[in-house]
Amino acid sequence: MKFVEAQRIRNLPPYLFARIEKLIAAKKEAGVDVISLGIGDPDRPTPVHIIETLVREANNPANHQYPSSVGMLTYRQAVARWYQNRFGIELDPETEVVSLLGSKEGIAHISWCYLNPGDTVLVPDPGYPVYSGGAILAGAEPYYLPLEPEKGYLIDFKSIPRDLAKRAKILFINYPNNPTGAVAGEAFYREVIEFAREYEIFVCHDAAYSDVSFDGYKPPSFLQFPGAKEVGIEFHSVSKTYNMTGWRVGWAAGNAEAVEALGRLKSNIDSGVFQAIQYAAAAGLTGPQEIVTEQNAVYQERRDILIEGLNSLGWNLEKPKATFYVWAPVPRGYTSDSFTELVLDKAGVVITPGTGYGQNGSGYFRMALTIEKERIQEALERIKNTIGKVTF
Ligand SMILES: *Cc1c(COP(=O)(O)O)cnc(C)c1O
């Protein structure tokens, strides 16, 4: 029998990493010691006090039943307290915070709350593929906003055609940015809020990397700027901050109507996060934060080794202020795909082609700082032996 897939599934863009994954598997099969700078997933363990909280709460039968799909009040209070401590923002835990099964889940589902088939959604390119994926599944049409290096990878609102801005329902933004490592400041967020007000566009800010930052820089929250709560929400999670990507717990915070709508949608789809995990995440958010500083120092050292190494081969990269990614142009004579394949094939090093994050990522590649510095050094050595000095 042949079952025809629904149009919404067929509308999803092809999975660009499929070919790379096959190549990686073949290399490993052939006994190559593959070094992966591909996936951005913290390599260090979840802090002990978080795990201990999980174990304690997992032993309490009261936590074995269905949780609420919007999250326990204790958890939402922990999120609110974290926003207060970290950004000085007041959030009502009852109405302005909803738990998520990781922020990815909420990012994919928010489109179901605000987009009808045929609606326009503004999506950064390059960007995290879930923004457009979720919108396409809801039947909407993404309009891609190019992030250009000359503009610090910030969205240029003046370049968005007026009629398009008038049509658009949602704007996705993400700073500190995956994949470019770019950061945004007060002037940018104020412009976002002004744009959203003028065109009545709902803003979804993805702040997954607000606490992975270097050189003493502290990225802001979208919600700390005047008027943000009236026009949008922020998606966040404990994934990157406390090395908890596997735990699947996050939140959306800000605009109360959107928080309510997302909670209502979710109550029809999932039954929330295991309560022991909510308690553990709360322990991360309200516990000691030195671990975050210490971990950022580790990423910072790796960043310096990688950037200085690439620059010694002919790149001219600045050190990103945040995220654990390095975004770089491919050398002259290569495309994103051909360079990625060469580095994997000849050096056994996995990097991600920029095209995996949108058309505008073409000509770039991304490296993740989520492996030990010795392995980064080894990867650089192998790349040097493969291609030598490069030009652009
Ligand atoms: C890792 C990441 C997320 C967060 O994922 P979770 O579902 O919270 O684990 C969200 N946005 C971006 C851009 C990311 O890189």
Side-chain angles (χ1 to χ4, degrees), residues 40-42 100-107 127-131 173-179 206-209 235-240 244-251 323-325 357 366:
D41 192 346
L100 299 171
L101 312 172
S103 57
K104 183 179 188 179
E105 179 259 309
I107 291 167
Y128 186 53
V130 185
Y131 313 134
I173 53 174
N174 164 226
Y175 296 96
N177 183 261
N178 175 10
D206 177 355
Y209 296 96
F235 291 95
H236 211 318
S237 78
V238 291
S239 287
K240 311 294 161 58
M244 295 176 72
T245 49
W247 297 55
R248 311 316 303 136
V249 54
W251 67 84
T323 78
F324 41 58
Y325 302 114
Y357 306 93
R366 194 194 77 175

Side-chain angles (χ1 to χ4, degrees), residues 102-144:
S103 57
K104 183 179 188 179
E105 179 259 309
I107 291 167
H109 280 142
I110 192 68
S111 285
W112 291 85
C113 296
Y114 287 106
L115 298 174
N116 285 314
D119 280 351
T120 300
V121 50
L122 302 176
V123 176
D125 177 3
Y128 186 53
V130 185
Y131 313 134
S132 53
I136 289 167
L137 287 172
E141 285 164 23
Y143 178 84
Y144 294 98

Side-chain angles (χ1 to χ4, degrees), residues 151-155 157 173-177 182-193 205 217-226 321:
K151 291 171 181 158
Y153 297 108
L154 295 174
I155 292 163
F157 290 100
I173 53 174
N174 164 226
Y175 296 96
N177 183 261
V183 296
E186 176 166 353
F188 176 78
Y189 288 109
R190 286 184 183 268
E191 209 184 341
V192 168
I193 293 164
H205 183 235
Y217 173 70
K218 286 267 194 191
S221 162
F222 164 66
L223 298 177
Q224 75 192 58
F225 300 103
K321 285 207 184 68

